[in-house]
Amino acid sequence: MSTLSVHEAKTHFSKLINRALAGEEIIVAKGKKPVVRIVPMEGAKTSRIPGRSKGLVKWISKDFDKPLSEFEDFMK
């Protein structure tokens, strides 16, 4: 989350929109008081960035792809 002044937001508005579309929350402050939050609209398309989630998975179970017991009948 980034906090910027109104002047900074006005100067870099296009870049801030791209950062918001990439998932960042931008706060615009008037003086020291936050007044506006820039976030993407629900359903707004974002471009895919390969590797964005790298490092989020800490471990994978050895049997992660084992069929679940309730679906074993369908697998036969």
Side-chain angles (χ1 to χ4, degrees), residues 2-74:
S2 297
T3 302
L4 304 164
S5 70
V6 173
H7 177 72
E8 290 172 312
K10 187 168 65 169
T11 303
H12 304 288
F13 191 65
S14 295
K15 292 178 184 176
L16 295 177
I17 290 173
N18 290 333
R19 286 170 54 186
L21 287 173
E24 187 176 346
E25 183 177 296
I26 311 293
I27 304 293
V28 179
K30 202 171 194 179
K32 292 187 178 187
K33 182 180 178 185
V35 292
V36 176
R37 180 172 25 142
I38 301 174
V39 294
M41 291 183 62
E42 197 171 310
K45 289 187 177 184
T46 59
S47 59
R48 295 179 63 183
I49 300 172
R52 183 188 315 189
S53 299
K54 185 177 182 178
L56 292 179
V57 177
K58 303 298 180 192
W59 65 274
I60 297 175
S61 174
K62 292 179 182 179
D63 65 345
F64 80 97
D65 58 349
K66 178 184 171 191
L68 299 173
S69 60
E70 56 264 20
F71 294 108
E72 285 181 349
D73 293 336
F74 294 111

